[in-house]
Amino acid sequence: MRQQSAFIPTMREVPADAEAVSHQWLVKGGFIRQLSAGVYSFLPLGRRVLRNAERIVREEMERTGAQEVLLPALQPAELWRESGRYEVYGPELVRLRDRGEREFVLGPTHEEVVTALVGQEIGTYRKLPVTLFQIQTKFRDERRPRFGLLRCREFVMKDAYSFAADWESLDAAYRAMYAAYGRIFARCGIRYLAVEADPGAIGGEGGTHEFMAIAESGEDDVVTCSRCDYAANLEKAAGRKPAGRHAGEEAADIPAPERFHTPGLRSIDDLASGLGLREDELIKTLIYAADGKHVAVLIRGDRTVNETKVKNALGVLDLELADSAAVSAITGAATGFAGPVGLSIPLLADDEVAAMRQGVAGANETDYHLRHVVPGRDFPLASTGDFRNAAEGEACPNCADGELRVIRGIEIGHVFKLGTKYSEKLGAAFADAGGELRPVIMGCYGIGVTRLLSAAIEQHHDEHGMVWPAGLAPFHVHIVPVSDKDAAQTEAANRLYGELRAEGVETLLDDRGERFGVKLKDADLIGIPIRIVIGKGIAEGEVEWKERGGGGPAERMALADVPAAVKRWLREKGQGQV
Amino acid sequence: MRQQSAFIPTMREVPADAEAVSHQWLVKGGFIRQLSAGVYSFLPLGRRVLRNAERIVREEMERTGAQEVLLPALQPAELWRESGRYEVYGPELVRLRDRGEREFVLGPTHEEVVTALVGQEIGTYRKLPVTLFQIQTKFRDERRPRFGLLRCREFVMKDAYSFAADWESLDAAYRAMYAAYGRIFARCGIRYLAVEADPGAIGGEGGTHEFMAIAESGEDDVVTCSRCDYAANLEKAAGRKPAGRHAGEEAADIPAPERFHTPGLRSIDDLASGLGLREDELIKTLIYAADGKHVAVLIRGDRTVNETKVKNALGVLDLELADSAAVSAITGAATGFAGPVGLSIPLLADDEVAAMRQGVAGANETDYHLRHVVPGRDFPLASTGDFRNAAEGEACPNCADGELRVIRGIEIGHVFKLGTKYSEKLGAAFADAGGELRPVIMGCYGIGVTRLLSAAIEQHHDEHGMVWPAGLAPFHVHIVPVSDKDAAQTEAANRLYGELRAEGVETLLDDRGERFGVKLKDADLIGIPIRIVIGKGIAEGEVEWKERGGGGPAERMALADVPAAVKRWLREKGQGQV
């Protein structure tokens, strides 16, 4: 493409509202423009990258035998009522009425539609297994759209759904998708971790993994081990159960709990510094409403509660911190002074609390705490378990001597064993070999296709702009003549452009009447992998070859050698079409 | 693809609600399924055809230098208020509110979004011209969705928008699109006519053409000439002005209008048969409300009024037949007895009426008509013009001796010179060479991509099913072994399948354990162009080659010769990838 006639509106200033690096560069480089909060137009460069991502996703999906479909965005509300999600989904679900006042939603995902579709058509086990996928625009009315393409209200997703007659067959589909995801992200040049994730109370019966692109700007915490390959998202990451004796066993030498005055010391921080204690000597007591019923969760002062684990332990859908009125009704004290001793609501004690010899806890009396609180002696340990978020430096739950690290990630993919959750509700059944009707066993598999653009940039950029991996790059070669007034340069640039295009190489030619400095700045900004600068050296038939982000200096090369070098580079990068 | 594991749910019965042939075959062949009125899922075969159509459209758009973008479906209502279309568009525009109660629409087309986008970024004439296109899902809440993919509420459209600094440049973009459309439809195997169309009162200042796929099931009337290449849609098609003397010139021998009794003869039919007159001896008087003001339109009894022409002549947006109360208030008579003599509202007389020597017209008195009504003598001919629909057999307005034919067509594309209609309203301006700000001059260009599937089938089918043109076919080769119990057949089928796939030929292998008759019926139904039947002849290394819809008998061919024959066929059909 010739840059003079290309619609690439680069900007000199970083947009003020762009927090994430990828958001800044995508807007500045003229790849996207915001139409409304979380709603973006893809300009030609952005569309090219998106098409590359779509092509890679499509090829790898087809390699697994998945078949492409295209399902409607406009979905009757009845379907969502049947699955039970019309209410559960909340305000994120975009709702509307047609001219006949019939209720519709805009699909945020397609379990309902695809399950109803396959349920109508699959009569017998002989038609199974089948996996369908689509690359399609989704709508989610996010409470807080942000970070450019990372959290949008309208975005492109690849969603796939597998249908099987038995769990082994679901496992096979799941493994095939898991493997395909690895190939997809590798071809996009994205470093990722597949992490164990929590299916949640409304999830399916099977396993689930999230694929996380490692990036500081990520909104998710990923827990990994310093030694083994353990990786999980924070919701799922297990805390190791402390070894050694059970709490309360050797408490004979510990005095009874002793009430002491702690005026205004409400937080763990206040207490630790006010009393000269370590945080791990404190017992933190948090009172929750779990589907409306109150419980107290006890964790060590240096930990945070993992609400997903608490929800799963209690089997509830909704878990919220109790308000201060409820706290004072239950404890008889102001917020900040709750403790387990004498509390009448159910107690959930984290394993680390259960393993404490003694600790300091709230006294259930404003401005007072108790010392010498012994778990199992001074409060019951009927419900113990892993209720905390794994933390940096903790022992790995998987290997002997690894330490946990917590890093930030962007969720770019998700594979999920749904089981029969949707097929039962929507009546998607098949006749087994014995003629008996059974619900089909499903998996679902998503990739945030537009989000891949942001993830790639978060990992591949420098202070001058984007550095596109070969698989996603909008063009592979950028030809930049130093002066558009120099006939030899212009002629050489046009010739090379024609030759590369004839070879099928995606090439951008900067034929604009701009100063060289402006052209270089734009070239750095939009980050095409190979840059060929044509300057005065053309008198000797020479040009400069520079790889964006390669770090090394520009290399002088004979103009005539460039096409072969480009093709070699493309082969090395696995861009096999050429 | 192996048919056993393919999701191709063919049906034995034609769906009861499917009126159009293409709708019937698409559903029966397992290409699409309805989710809701005018909302369809594309199953694997349908998606493959749609992808072929998208690829052809994309390649030909890019060949013109148009650049691909992807614009949001979710559009702020304010933009539509700025352009003035929020109200004008009516209930076809899907409207919704987000969680913050902000109003949005789902894009039925993208003039507003693209004009605002380009308006922000194009500073000077040096960035022009530019043409952007997208292939994207559109939403229109049709009053009566029907005919499968022909009239949908959610559908895929290619829309392109050109931006130019002057009209010559718009003309060039328009011509490039016009030419690309011809290539696209030819590659899709669709016979079409480019017809002159009417830009309408809210249209632009320039020309417009519609591309019509000729098909009996089409919803549009297309007027063509039996001799020259004149073609227009019915709204636009000109009626030839009758030659010869002006009406009223030689009326001295004609008596004054004479009132006579015509009880109950309200319609032209009744009158003609009741009085033994030819329809072209009658003057039909229709009373309309034009933007609320009443006018009478006079046409010959054998003609119908072309409301578009009347609207354009009057410069009004809205034209509706007056209700019976208004008619009797204006004429003093019941409906059916209106006439031009003595009428006090403005009269618009069609050229053919103006050319009548005398005629019979309503008397403006219930159950009475007038004979000997002479145009220009008995009522004024202040406003005459072409106000009728062109009719079968009429003289061509373009050539000397052609006759008009009226045929049915499906609108598959539309090119439109918008001029500055949107750029003025949305403030899309550029600085010209003198530094003066001027509104950018636009064109817009649409193709109904999903509709192409229906148009192709309407033109290419027989009583057994679809007959896909090579460019759109979901697969090029269908391998059908006669028996899945015969090891030699199965082995040969698998080998051929492997060879063709290795060559990049899109191949479907019927490996199902079905009877041969069932397999053949399905093969006819889904209409893949080349069918290779592998039967007992495989003992001599021979198979059958049959072209779907080719008409000729099956041809015996050595199995070993099939790949070369397929490649030759593909080259002949211009399927150049192989």
Side-chain angles (χ1 to χ4, degrees):
Chain A
M1 191 180 288
R2 288 174 180 273
Q3 212 162 333
Q4 174 59 35
S5 46
F7 187 60
I8 308 176
T10 56
M11 298 165 71
R12 291 280 84 90
E13 300 302 320
V14 176
D17 65 330
E19 301 167 66
V21 168
S22 57
H23 186 187
Q24 294 169 3
W25 291 127
L26 283 169
V27 173
K28 204 175 169 196
F31 284 59
I32 62 172
R33 284 293 182 270
Q34 182 178 292
L35 174 61
S36 167
V39 180
Y40 287 89
S41 296
F42 287 77
L43 312 194
L45 287 185
R47 186 68 184 103
R48 293 180 75 94
V49 179
L50 183 57
R51 269 178 60 189
N52 288 335
E54 290 169 353
R55 178 178 43 77
I56 291 169
V57 168
R58 178 172 284 129
E59 287 173 4
E60 295 298 341
M61 283 297 107
E62 292 191 333
R63 212 207 280 201
T64 69
Q67 299 169 58
E68 187 171 358
V69 295
L70 181 62
L71 305 174
L74 213 48
Q75 307 179 0
E78 301 100 75
L79 259 184
W80 284 73
R81 290 216 171 84
E82 276 182 55
S83 76
R85 290 209 290 183
Y86 192 73
E87 278 73 29
V88 172
Y89 220 96
E92 228 177 73
L93 188 63
V94 180
R95 293 153 213 255
L96 59 98
R97 286 164 188 270
D98 73 0
R99 66 198 295 158
E101 292 297 319
R102 281 175 298 262
E103 291 174 305
F104 283 83
V105 309
L106 292 182
T109 171
H110 279 69
E111 281 82 5
E112 281 79 2
V113 169
V114 80
T115 307
L117 171 69
V118 171
Q120 278 164 17
E121 308 295 344
I122 292 286
T124 93
Y125 72 98
R126 280 189 299 270
K127 300 275 185 75
L128 296 171
V130 66
T131 298
L132 304 177
F133 80 97
Q134 61 173 346
I135 297 174
Q136 198 240 18
T137 298
K138 300 279 187 278
F139 301 87
R140 290 185 194 166
D141 199 354
E142 292 278 351
R143 194 173 57 81
R144 208 186 142 203
R146 57 185 164 161
F147 302 140
L149 303 182
L150 285 176
R151 192 160 290 281
C152 280
R153 301 203 285 177
E154 176 173 344
F155 57 98
V156 178
M157 187 168 153
K158 185 284 299 177
D159 44 332
Y161 306 90
S162 69
F163 300 87
D166 52 48
W167 283 87
E168 293 68 40
S169 179
L170 168 60
D171 286 344
Y174 188 88
R175 281 194 304 273
M177 281 290 152
Y178 188 105
Y181 277 33
R183 295 193 300 270
I184 288 166
F185 302 134
R187 288 179 64 183
C188 291
I190 295 175
R191 295 185 303 277
Y192 71 96
L193 276 174
V195 308
E196 291 176 19
D198 188 276
I202 58 160
E205 303 133 59
T208 171
H209 283 88
E210 287 171 359
F211 290 78
M212 294 285 187
I214 304 310
E216 269 175 44
S217 61
E219 296 187 87
D220 290 290
D221 284 310
V222 177
V223 178
T224 63
C225 175
S226 61
R227 300 189 78 99
C228 76
D229 63 359
Y230 181 78
N233 71 8
L234 189 65
E235 287 186 345
K236 172 75 174 179
R240 181 144 81 175
K241 198 165 176 172
R245 64 170 189 86
H246 189 280
E249 274 170 14
E250 303 165 33
D253 58 326
I254 303 176
E258 179 194 337
R259 176 172 165 280
F260 64 110
H261 198 209
T262 51
L265 302 184
R266 286 160 185 273
S267 72
I268 294 292
D269 256 9
D270 293 346
L271 270 174
S273 57
L275 305 177
L277 292 170
R278 297 195 318 273
E279 291 189 348
D280 63 5
E281 294 175 302
L282 305 174
I283 296 170
K284 190 153 61 179
T285 305
L286 290 151
I287 299 184
Y288 280 95
D291 281 356
K293 201 174 151 248
H294 288 103
V295 298
V297 179
L298 312 178
I299 50 166
R300 242 171 45 185
D302 58 338
R303 303 305 193 198
T304 53
V305 171
N306 183 313
E307 297 184 351
T308 301
K309 293 177 182 176
V310 175
K311 274 191 207 172
N312 289 347
L314 294 172
V316 299
L317 279 172
D318 189 53
L319 187 77
E320 280 181 84
L321 276 173
D323 58 27
S324 56
V327 169
S328 78
I330 289 163
T331 65
T335 304
F337 300 95
V341 181
L343 216 54
S344 61
I345 58 174
L347 302 180
L348 276 73
D350 182 70
D351 292 327
E352 286 186 338
V353 169
M356 287 170 83
R357 197 151 179 271
Q358 60 171 301
V360 170
N364 296 324
E365 183 181 350
T366 302
D367 291 344
Y368 285 91
H369 278 76
L370 298 177
R371 58 168 69 97
H372 305 313
V373 174
V374 176
R377 181 190 76 179
D378 301 322
F379 62 88
L381 287 175
S383 304
T384 63
D386 173 11
F387 302 125
R388 69 189 185 275
N389 282 320
E392 183 83 22
E394 252 196 90
C396 173
N398 187 52
C399 70
D401 46 4
E403 263 190 13
L404 293 185
R405 299 269 166 267
V406 181
I407 56 180
R408 305 288 284 175
I410 298 165
E411 187 191 334
I412 49 177
H414 199 159
V415 291
F416 209 111
K417 293 184 189 173
L418 287 171
T420 57
K421 172 176 157 57
Y422 290 93
S423 50
E424 282 180 10
K425 289 203 168 127
L426 294 160
F430 66 97
D432 66 14
E436 201 181 325
L437 274 185
R438 290 165 48 193
V440 68
I441 297 170
M442 292 175 56
C444 70
Y445 317 91
I447 288 181
V449 182
T450 35
R451 192 179 268 192
L452 292 180
L453 276 63
S454 295
I457 296 169
E458 292 291 338
Q459 292 185 351
H460 304 281
H461 67 270
D462 61 18
E463 70 274 29
H464 304 298
M466 296 168 268
V467 182
W468 283 106
L472 293 181
F475 293 92
H476 286 128
V477 178
H478 198 173
I479 303 173
V480 185
V482 171
S483 163
D484 68 310
K485 309 277 186 302
D486 182 314
Q489 289 178 25
T490 303
E491 193 272 334
N494 279 321
R495 185 145 41 94
L496 180 59
Y497 178 66
E499 281 174 26
L500 290 175
R501 275 170 50 101
E503 300 268 12
V505 178
E506 306 275 1
T507 307
L508 182 66
L509 167 64
D510 195 343
D511 57 346
R512 297 177 298 165
E514 297 282 358
R515 284 179 300 108
F516 184 51
V518 169
K519 291 193 276 192
L520 275 192
K521 231 180 157 60
D522 278 345
D524 278 341
L525 176 57
I526 64 182
I528 294 168
I530 299 173
R531 184 185 314 160
I532 307 294
V533 172
I534 302 184
K536 291 200 190 303
I538 198 62
E540 290 84 49
E542 284 196 334
V543 300
E544 274 183 13
W545 165 294
K546 176 114 172 69
E547 288 181 35
R548 176 78 181 95
E555 187 187 329
R556 287 186 77 86
M557 187 181 281
L559 176 64
D561 293 342
V562 171
V566 166
K567 282 156 73 181
R568 199 160 50 238
W569 184 93
L570 287 170
R571 270 196 307 276
E572 279 166 17
K573 298 291 181 184
Q575 304 304 305
Q577 314 298 16
V578 176
Chain B
M1 192 179 288
R2 288 174 180 274
Q3 213 163 335
Q4 174 59 34
S5 46
F7 186 60
I8 307 177
T10 56
M11 298 165 70
R12 290 280 84 93
E13 300 301 320
V14 176
D17 66 329
E19 301 168 66
V21 168
S22 57
H23 185 188
Q24 294 170 3
W25 292 127
L26 284 168
V27 173
K28 204 174 170 199
F31 284 58
I32 61 172
R33 283 293 182 270
Q34 181 176 294
L35 175 61
S36 165
V39 180
Y40 287 88
S41 297
F42 287 79
L43 312 193
L45 287 185
R47 185 68 183 105
R48 293 180 75 95
V49 179
L50 183 56
R51 270 178 60 190
N52 288 335
E54 290 169 355
R55 178 179 43 77
I56 290 170
V57 167
R58 178 174 283 128
E59 286 174 5
E60 296 298 342
M61 282 298 106
E62 292 189 334
R63 210 208 279 203
T64 69
Q67 299 169 59
E68 187 171 358
V69 296
L70 181 63
L71 305 174
L74 214 48
Q75 306 180 359
E78 301 99 76
L79 259 185
W80 284 73
R81 290 217 171 82
E82 274 182 57
S83 76
R85 289 208 293 182
Y86 191 72
E87 278 74 31
V88 171
Y89 219 95
E92 228 177 71
L93 189 63
V94 179
R95 294 152 214 256
L96 58 99
R97 286 162 188 270
D98 73 0
R99 66 198 293 158
E101 292 297 319
R102 280 176 297 263
E103 291 174 305
F104 283 83
V105 308
L106 292 183
T109 172
H110 279 68
E111 281 82 5
E112 281 79 1
V113 169
V114 80
T115 307
L117 171 70
V118 171
Q120 277 164 20
E121 308 295 346
I122 292 286
T124 93
Y125 71 98
R126 280 189 300 271
K127 300 276 186 74
L128 295 171
V130 66
T131 298
L132 305 177
F133 80 97
Q134 63 173 346
I135 297 173
Q136 198 240 20
T137 299
K138 300 280 188 279
F139 300 87
R140 289 185 195 167
D141 199 354
E142 292 278 351
R143 194 173 58 80
R144 207 184 145 203
R146 56 185 165 161
F147 301 141
L149 303 182
L150 284 176
R151 191 160 292 281
C152 280
R153 301 203 286 177
E154 175 173 346
F155 57 97
V156 178
M157 187 167 152
K158 185 286 297 179
D159 44 331
Y161 306 90
S162 69
F163 301 86
D166 52 48
W167 283 86
E168 293 69 38
S169 181
L170 168 61
D171 287 344
Y174 188 89
R175 281 193 304 271
M177 282 289 153
Y178 188 105
Y181 277 31
R183 295 193 299 270
I184 287 166
F185 302 134
R187 288 179 64 183
C188 291
I190 295 174
R191 295 185 302 277
Y192 70 96
L193 275 174
V195 307
E196 291 176 18
D198 188 276
I202 59 163
E205 304 133 60
T208 171
H209 284 87
E210 287 170 358
F211 290 77
M212 294 285 187
I214 304 311
E216 270 176 42
S217 61
E219 296 187 86
D220 290 290
D221 283 311
V222 176
V223 178
T224 63
C225 175
S226 60
R227 301 189 77 99
C228 75
D229 62 359
Y230 181 77
N233 69 11
L234 189 64
E235 286 185 346
K236 173 74 174 179
R240 182 146 80 175
K241 197 165 176 171
R245 59 165 197 91
H246 190 280
E249 275 170 12
E250 303 165 35
D253 57 328
I254 303 176
E258 176 194 340
R259 177 171 163 281
F260 63 110
H261 200 207
T262 52
L265 303 183
R266 288 160 185 273
S267 71
I268 294 291
D269 257 10
D270 293 346
L271 270 174
S273 57
L275 305 178
L277 291 169
R278 293 195 321 272
E279 291 189 347
D280 64 4
E281 295 176 301
L282 305 174
I283 297 171
K284 189 154 63 179
T285 306
L286 290 151
I287 299 182
Y288 280 94
D291 281 357
K293 200 175 151 247
H294 288 104
V295 298
V297 179
L298 312 178
I299 51 167
R300 239 169 48 182
D302 58 337
R303 303 304 194 198
T304 54
V305 172
N306 184 314
E307 297 184 352
T308 302
K309 292 177 181 175
V310 175
K311 275 190 207 172
N312 290 347
L314 294 171
V316 299
L317 279 174
D318 189 52
L319 187 76
E320 281 181 84
L321 275 173
D323 57 27
S324 57
V327 170
S328 78
I330 290 164
T331 65
T335 305
F337 301 95
V341 181
L343 217 53
S344 61
I345 58 176
L347 303 180
L348 276 73
D350 182 69
D351 292 327
E352 287 185 336
V353 169
M356 286 168 84
R357 198 152 179 269
Q358 58 173 305
V360 170
N364 295 324
E365 183 181 353
T366 303
D367 291 342
Y368 285 92
H369 278 76
L370 299 177
R371 56 170 68 96
H372 306 311
V373 174
V374 176
R377 182 190 76 180
D378 301 321
F379 62 87
L381 287 175
S383 304
T384 62
D386 174 11
F387 302 124
R388 70 188 185 277
N389 283 318
E392 182 83 23
E394 252 196 88
C396 173
N398 188 53
C399 72
D401 46 4
E403 265 191 12
L404 294 185
R405 298 272 165 266
V406 181
I407 55 180
R408 305 289 284 176
I410 298 166
E411 188 191 334
I412 49 176
H414 199 158
V415 292
F416 210 112
K417 292 185 190 174
L418 287 171
T420 58
K421 172 175 157 56
Y422 290 91
S423 51
E424 281 180 9
K425 289 201 167 129
L426 294 160
F430 66 96
D432 67 14
E436 199 180 327
L437 274 186
R438 289 165 48 192
V440 68
I441 297 170
M442 293 175 56
C444 70
Y445 316 92
I447 288 180
V449 183
T450 35
R451 191 178 269 191
L452 293 180
L453 276 64
S454 295
I457 296 170
E458 292 291 338
Q459 293 186 350
H460 304 281
H461 67 270
D462 61 19
E463 69 274 30
H464 304 297
M466 296 167 268
V467 181
W468 284 107
L472 293 181
F475 293 92
H476 286 128
V477 178
H478 198 174
I479 303 174
V480 185
V482 172
S483 165
D484 68 310
K485 309 276 187 299
D486 182 316
Q489 290 179 24
T490 303
E491 194 271 334
N494 280 320
R495 184 146 41 92
L496 180 59
Y497 178 64
E499 281 173 25
L500 290 175
R501 275 169 50 100
E503 300 268 14
V505 178
E506 306 275 359
T507 308
L508 182 66
L509 168 62
D510 195 344
D511 58 346
R512 298 176 298 163
E514 297 281 359
R515 285 179 299 109
F516 184 51
V518 169
K519 291 193 276 192
L520 273 192
K521 229 178 158 60
D522 278 344
D524 277 342
L525 176 57
I526 65 182
I528 294 169
I530 300 173
R531 183 185 313 160
I532 307 294
V533 172
I534 302 185
K536 290 198 190 304
I538 198 65
E540 292 84 48
E542 285 196 333
V543 300
E544 274 183 14
W545 165 294
K546 174 117 174 67
E547 289 180 34
R548 175 78 179 97
E555 187 187 328
R556 287 187 76 86
M557 186 181 283
L559 176 64
D561 293 342
V562 171
V566 167
K567 281 156 71 183
R568 198 162 48 238
W569 185 92
L570 288 169
R571 270 196 308 276
E572 278 167 16
K573 299 290 180 184
Q575 304 303 305
Q577 314 296 15
V578 175

